[in-house]
Amino acid sequence: MQKIKSLMTRQGLKSPPESLSDLGAIESLRVPGKEEFRELREQPSDPQAEQELINSIEQVYFSTDSFDIKLPPVLNLQELEEYRDKLKQQQAAVSKKVADLILEKQPAYVKELERVTSLQTGLQLAAVICTNGRRHLNIAKEGFTQASLGLLANQRKRQLLIGLLKSLRTIKTLQRTDVRLSEMLEEEDYPGAIQLCLECQKAASTFKHYSCISELNSKLQDTLEQIEEQLDVALSKICKNFDINHYTKVQQAYRLLGKTQTAMDQLHMHFTQAIHNTVFQVVLGYVELCAGNTDTKFQKLQYKDLCTHVTPDSYIPCLADLCKALWEVMLSYYRTMEWHEKHDNEDATSASEGSNMMGTEEANFDRGYIKKKLEHGLTRIWQDVQLKVKTYLLGTDLSIFKYDDFIFVLDIISRLMQVGEEFCGSKSEVLQESIRKQSVNYFKNYHRTRLDELRMFLENETWELCPVKSNFSILQLHEFKFMEQSRSPSVSPSKQPSSASSKTVTLFEQYCSGGNPFEIQANHKDEETEDVLASNGYESDEQEKSAYQEYDSDSDVPEELKRDYVDEQTGDAPVKSISRETLKSRKKSDYSLNKVNAPILTNTTLNVIRLVGKYMQMMNILKPIAFDVIHFMSQLFDYYLYAIYTFFGRNDSLESTGLGLSSSRLRTTLNRIQESLIDLEVSTDPTATLTAAEERKEKVPSPHLSHLVVLTSGDTLYGLAERVVATESLVFLAEQFEFLQPHLDAVMPAVKKPFLQQFYSQTVSTASELRKPIYWIVAGKAIDYEQMLLLMANVKWDVKEIMSQHNIYVDALLKEFEQFNMRLNEVSKRVRIPLPVSNILWEHCIRLANRTIVEGYANVKKCSNEGRALMQLDFQQFLMKLEKLTDIRPIPDKEFVETYIKAYYLTENDMERWIKEHREYSTKQLTNLVNVCLGSHINKKARQKLLSAIDDIDRPKR
């Protein structure tokens, strides 16, 4: 190639400048001329020999690197010439080879050379164009492009700087975020603070390529943790004072954090802690207040030990405050549940309208978890409340408390148990058991004291009438107000439709917006004033005046009819045989004064009724001790009944009459009371066993009638007024027990109900039966039956003529009855005598009079048929006059007298049968009947036979 270029140089051909620079290395080579080419072509050629010459050329001559020919150390001319000739031959062969190749490629060369020349021309033109273009470009650059591109560059730099400034401002804002976060936390804007913190974290991740952001990111994470801590503190405040807005913010904040379940777990822990802290602080406050010093030793005590330091004076206020505080905690939990129920419904509604199934499922799971957690927490929280209150209750001995204070404690606990039942449906077994034992112990001691007080009242009672209004009801007494309160919600449920509006309002619904169910207790004691007493036994002066005017306006009534004192206004139907005049006079009788409908009772009766009310209060509050309370209530009634019988009804001589004045049921009841309740021993035997001493401790000494009560004066009908007041007060007390039976039956345990039924059937119902033995004593002394027997003994009964005039003993007996009626009128001015009482009194007097008549007839030694007719005449006269004095029909024991008189006319066989059938007559009366009949129509043999029959009848009685 180099040789070709040298040949081209020799021929004067010019190559492009670019090519010349490449061919500079071979310009020094000589290219053979035309003559040399010709010589080379003319030389004979042997291709093989030439190829061998070319191949024999040393390798160094093919190298582009310069080289130095090294001569041998010893120069030899011949060798040098031979070496030169060889090189010439080699050069000639190469030259010839090159010449051949050139000649062979010359047309292509020429053609290519032309192309190169054309290309050179085009390149020269392009060079001119490029030069012109560069010149114009330089002009444009200087005039337009440089300025525009400068503007564009500056604009780009400006945009970059604006972006940088924005980033710097963002970073600056991020750096100052903690100040705003602190402000938001002070404002309790927890959702906003968390939202801001999360946005800052997101922004910080965007600028994490700045070195200052890494430190800020760590700071934001610390701030977020601090927010969570403050959020937990805010959540704990919910436990004592629930605020809807506050709780909504807290829940929104936890929802932003994605920790709603964690929040619910924390909330329950806070409620548990709140209960513990609340009760401890309340009790500690009262203990330190009562201690009167600032000693901090109490703060180190356990809650159980702290409760033992509460003084009796501060016990009730502390308990009330304790319950108030616990109520606030439970109310907060209740309102928390309400909040979740409301928002769960709203969330469920909004979720059903959305389309994000994955988010909806997660939200439903959270709601289900929260709901179960809240429902389970109800029982846990109430259990904690019960245990705290139980510990407080057992920390103090309640037996030293006054009754009202103890009832107040029970009332608070009862209200608390009501709260528990409404809170979670619990029966509060822990609270019930904790107070039951103390209640039973307290109540035993209290009842024993009340029985002793009752004995003292009875022994000092003068049995004067306690004036009460005619509409008096035990429900008007403070002690029975709880019955009206318990019955008031259910007064008109039947009148109201069965709908949601008539649903009973719970305590949580009632006090949800404010107030406290334990605040009303302190003001509840003296809300109302009792208004049960009448003025001077009358309800007003006008009524008293009109009553006496009515009483004085019967001067035109016949004297006999004015003696009729029977009370018409008790509702009993009149006997058909009573005359119209009698009915008229009865309306104006002494017993029709305005006291007719007023109950007959004494101060002692009122005290017993009040005691019953107090007992029922305790029973109503604490139903588990219902049996013990009712048992003690029955003892109050038993002791009152036994006292009335002991004071006014015990008379062994009259009991021996065999008239059945005391029923077997009454005698059984009195014996039971005496054995179980009455302590008949005067002094305690020191050698008595412990069991006997305990039994005697449960008993009460028998009461004694006050010496101020006189039962021996005939002018007062032997204390009839006192007897009426006492007996009828017992009957009234029994009626009140009957009125209370449904309430007692409702609270009595099922297994103990037979006791209650037995108490009512064998004790309460026997109260009215005491009237007979008590008023029998008055009837037995009010009429002089002995004087009548003496008068009858002076009558001659063996007359031979039928008499038309009755004997004087009949007039004497009737006069006794008239005096009895007058004295009865006097007594009725002091005390209203009810119709059943007047009937019993008249019945007893008439019965005793008739039996005295039979006894007088039985004392007759001799009697003729005319004498028997005289007996009938006397008795008929007595009946005729007696019917004008009393309305009792039929006359008691009328047949008893008439049958005895008629028995005189019986034959032997009929008399024997009659004797066996009529065992109501005494042996003396039957014997006398047989003896009087001897000689008239009965012989001695028949007499002996009849006497034997009488003896047979009398033998079992012995």
Side-chain angles (χ1 to χ4, degrees), residues 385-602:
V385 171
Q386 284 192 91
L387 291 175
K388 296 300 181 184
V389 178
K390 173 189 175 182
T391 304
Y392 181 81
L393 288 174
L394 298 180
T396 303
D397 182 14
L398 303 181
S399 61
I400 61 175
F401 279 33
K402 297 179 180 178
Y403 176 82
D404 290 339
D405 292 339
F406 188 75
I407 286 295
F408 194 72
V409 171
L410 292 186
D411 195 29
I412 292 177
I413 299 304
S414 176
R415 182 63 61 94
L416 185 62
M417 288 191 288
Q418 182 184 353
V419 169
E421 186 169 0
E422 294 178 1
F423 186 66
C424 62
S426 171
K427 297 301 180 183
S428 307
E429 292 84 358
V430 174
L431 280 178
Q432 289 193 18
E433 181 60 27
S434 63
I435 202 169
R436 188 188 66 82
K437 294 180 181 178
Q438 288 212 24
S439 298
V440 172
N441 181 45
Y442 174 87
F443 201 63
K444 283 183 178 179
N445 296 333
Y446 178 81
H447 176 65
R448 173 65 196 188
T449 306
R450 300 291 80 75
L451 279 178
D452 290 337
E453 287 182 359
L454 178 58
R455 179 170 67 91
M456 181 186 68
F457 276 122
L458 289 169
E459 291 181 345
N460 291 279
E461 179 63 68
T462 57
W463 304 103
E464 294 290 336
L465 186 65
C466 178
V468 294
K469 292 188 175 183
S470 60
N471 62 348
F472 171 75
S473 169
I474 61 172
L475 297 179
Q476 297 168 353
L477 300 176
H478 281 314
E479 288 78 5
F480 291 91
K481 289 296 182 184
F482 74 94
M483 292 184 65
E484 285 188 341
Q485 293 168 3
S486 62
R487 290 171 8 156
S488 57
S490 59
V491 169
S492 58
S494 59
K495 299 180 181 178
Q496 298 177 354
S498 178
S499 62
S501 61
S502 61
K503 182 181 177 182
T504 304
V505 178
T506 65
L507 292 174
F508 286 97
E509 294 170 345
Q510 183 179 354
Y511 296 99
C512 186
S513 58
N516 196 300
F518 299 96
E519 288 178 350
I520 63 172
Q521 302 296 325
N523 303 325
H524 187 64
K525 274 190 175 181
D526 297 318
E527 284 181 348
E528 300 177 4
T529 304
E530 288 181 350
D531 186 19
V532 297
L533 298 180
S535 174
N536 298 323
Y538 295 89
E539 296 187 7
S540 69
D541 295 338
E542 290 297 325
Q543 290 176 342
E544 181 177 2
K545 182 178 178 181
S546 62
Y548 278 106
Q549 285 176 349
E550 185 179 4
Y551 168 67
D552 293 336
S553 64
D554 60 354
S555 57
D556 57 337
V557 180
E559 186 65 26
E560 290 181 346
L561 295 181
K562 282 200 289 186
R563 296 191 190 112
D564 185 353
Y565 62 92
V566 179
D567 183 4
E568 260 47 84
Q569 299 186 16
T570 57
D572 293 336
V575 181
K576 292 182 180 180
S577 60
I578 300 177
S579 63
R580 185 175 300 176
E581 290 77 6
T582 305
L583 289 173
K584 182 179 179 181
S585 67
R586 286 161 70 177
K587 293 181 181 178
K588 301 180 180 181
S589 66
D590 294 345
Y591 317 127
S592 297
L593 294 180
N594 201 32
K595 298 178 285 187
V596 62
N597 290 325
I600 297 177
L601 65 159
T602 66

